[in-house]
Amino acid sequence: MPAVTDTEAGAGASVQSVDRALTILELLAREGDAGVTEIAAELGVHKSTAFRLLATLEAHRLVEQDGDRGRYRLGVGNLRLAGATTARLDLVTEARPVCRQLATDTGETVNITVRSETSALYLDQVAGSSALQSHNWVGQHIPLHATSNGKVLISELTEAELKLAVRELPRLTDRTVTKRAELRTQLEHIREVGYAVAVDELEDGLTAAAAPIRNAHGDIVASMSISGPTFRLNPERLERDVPLLTAAATEVSHRLGWGQRT
């Protein structure tokens, strides 16, 4: 029988800690509040171990302590996580029928993305009739500077926010933007025209166009894109399809409470 390595042992301990932390959250959700003694008993660990787990959860505002009784309850950090999840589910729900129609109208793959710190996170995808074996992007994190979706998502950030969101500009193809000055120029153009186009920047032979999705306050909260082979999404096709894309993204924005229908 092979010996357990230090790395494997450490990984096992980490998984156990995560499992115990989740058990604490489930206990507090069920009971409303609990003391350290109760929590330690539930976990089957010493009180000092329970204290360490609670301190970590408290640092992330996932639990908080009642100052008078010293008992623990769920913290406001859970509301932030739940709110983000609900907002994304609402976005996908509202966008899905519009994405289906856009995929039908253009024949191309339609994606919905949101910014996840330094990347574009793909939430949903609908394949068009022309996309026979479309790559499934859902759940993937893609560099912001090398995609039309990413550029839309960062197009209205302040300079300070942009530096935090795009810390590096790695070259993925010969067409990838690797200079900040060029990226700023592109973002200014995106703000002017209301959409972004990326040709062979993420992958050779892949072209995509994206438009912003706004919330009720007018903030860009997501992007919608069409993508396909560069030979098919040529300038003439983009000229035809980009207005359909921007109209679809605007429709989703209206569904999220932005602007007024005319």
Side-chain angles (χ1 to χ4, degrees):
M1 181 176 180
V4 177
T5 66
D6 291 341
T7 299
E8 291 171 332
S14 297
V15 171
Q16 186 179 54
S17 295
V18 172
D19 182 70
R20 287 171 172 171
L22 293 174
T23 300
I24 291 174
L25 296 177
E26 290 172 350
L27 170 65
L28 296 180
R30 184 176 68 247
E31 301 297 333
D33 61 19
V36 175
T37 301
E38 298 168 62
I39 292 171
E42 176 80 10
L43 297 176
V45 300
H46 193 274
K47 286 175 64 175
S48 62
T49 300
F51 265 123
R52 287 196 296 272
L53 290 167
L54 286 163
T56 299
L57 291 171
E58 192 171 17
H60 291 278
R61 305 185 72 187
L62 295 176
V63 303
E64 58 188 24
Q65 194 171 17
D66 186 319
D68 296 329
R69 298 184 299 158
R71 295 172 69 80
Y72 288 87
R73 61 194 176 201
L74 291 177
V76 296
N78 293 285
L79 296 177
R80 174 176 52 81
L81 296 175
T85 300
T86 301
R88 288 181 178 179
L89 289 174
D90 288 345
L91 168 63
V92 171
T93 299
E94 295 296 342
R96 175 56 72 89
V98 182
C99 290
R100 285 175 176 159
Q101 186 61 53
L102 181 62
T104 298
D105 292 342
T106 64
E108 304 298 347
T109 298
V110 178
N111 280 291
I112 297 290
T113 74
V114 295
R115 185 163 73 90
S116 179
E117 296 184 351
T118 60
S119 64
L121 171 62
Y122 283 66
L123 293 185
D124 199 20
Q125 177 172 308
V126 176
S129 59
S130 299
L132 298 179
Q133 291 183 320
S134 176
H135 175 78
N136 186 3
W137 295 98
V138 175
Q140 294 194 35
H141 291 259
I142 309 297
L144 292 165
H145 72 292
T147 64
S148 59
N149 277 309
K151 290 175 186 178
V152 162
L153 293 172
I154 62 176
S155 62
E156 294 185 358
L157 297 183
T158 65
E159 185 62 28
E161 291 170 335
L162 184 60
K163 287 181 179 179
L164 289 175
V166 183
R167 298 168 188 173
E168 298 178 343
L169 288 83
R171 183 182 299 279
L172 304 178
T173 73
D174 290 340
R175 298 287 297 273
T176 306
V177 176
T178 58
K179 297 184 183 301
R180 288 192 175 274
E182 184 179 355
L183 179 62
R184 291 191 193 96
T185 299
Q186 288 190 359
L187 297 183
E188 182 178 352
H189 179 69
I190 292 167
R191 290 193 296 271
E192 291 175 356
V193 300
Y195 64 89
V197 174
V199 180
D200 300 342
E201 294 187 39
L202 179 65
E203 296 179 2
D204 286 321
L206 177 66
T207 288
I213 294 174
R214 301 179 184 274
N215 63 13
H217 304 290
D219 303 318
I220 296 177
V221 293
S223 63
M224 175 186 289
S225 68
I226 55 172
S227 59
T230 299
F231 73 83
R232 190 166 67 228
L233 271 181
N234 53 39
E236 291 75 21
R237 278 288 307 280
L238 287 172
E239 185 176 0
R240 186 199 74 178
D241 289 347
V242 164
L244 299 175
L245 166 66
T246 56
T250 299
E251 171 61 22
V252 177
S253 299
H254 286 321
R255 290 174 176 232
L256 297 179
W258 178 71
Q260 299 291 328
R261 287 187 174 88
T262 58

